[in-house]
Amino acid sequence: MEKKTDICRIEIKGEFSIFSAAALRQQLLDALDTGEEVEVDLSAVSEMDSAGMQLMVAAKKEASVRNKALRFTGHSPVVFELVELCDLSGHLGDPLLISSRTN
């Protein structure tokens, strides 16, 4: 976790799945405690399952409850594919995903 000004940045590498969900959940909650804005880089995610997707949705909801900004960036192909498959690009609200649906 890296903090610059009020933006806390997290990079998720490797699996974003049921096997890593508990640790990643805590990391996301800690980041929401730390910064006014949280940016999660997903470019190095190599595998993702429904637990990872649920964690993304829950983190967005938690950020909203706390009135903080949470952005997922650098969506790897596996993340992008699952978000599209679940039709959650609009719910997650990330500019890359929203613009891809209109193209």
Side-chain angles (χ1 to χ4, degrees):
M1 184 168 31
E2 171 187 342
K3 186 177 183 208
K4 290 183 181 176
T5 62
D6 286 338
I7 300 175
C8 185
R9 290 185 173 82
I10 298 172
E11 181 180 13
I12 298 176
K13 296 179 180 179
E15 288 185 22
F16 191 13
S17 67
I18 193 164
F19 302 109
S20 60
L24 292 173
R25 178 183 178 277
Q26 191 57 54
Q27 190 176 8
L28 288 167
L29 290 174
D30 290 346
L32 288 171
D33 286 340
T34 303
E36 289 301 311
E37 293 183 46
V38 177
E39 187 174 283
V40 181
D41 180 357
L42 302 171
S43 62
V45 173
S46 60
E47 185 179 330
M48 185 172 182
D49 65 11
S50 61
M53 181 59 57
Q54 290 172 355
L55 188 53
M56 287 177 72
V57 171
K60 278 287 196 176
K61 183 177 181 179
E62 183 64 24
S64 178
V65 166
R66 295 182 187 204
N67 202 27
K68 296 191 176 188
L70 171 63
R71 288 182 301 282
F72 293 102
T73 64
H75 303 77
S76 72
V78 295
V79 173
F80 186 78
E81 184 178 320
L82 189 56
V83 169
E84 286 291 301
L85 179 67
C86 295
D87 196 25
L88 288 172
S89 57
H91 176 73
L92 294 173
D94 299 312
L96 169 71
L97 295 174
I98 291 174
S99 64
S100 73
R101 293 192 52 86
T102 59
N103 291 338

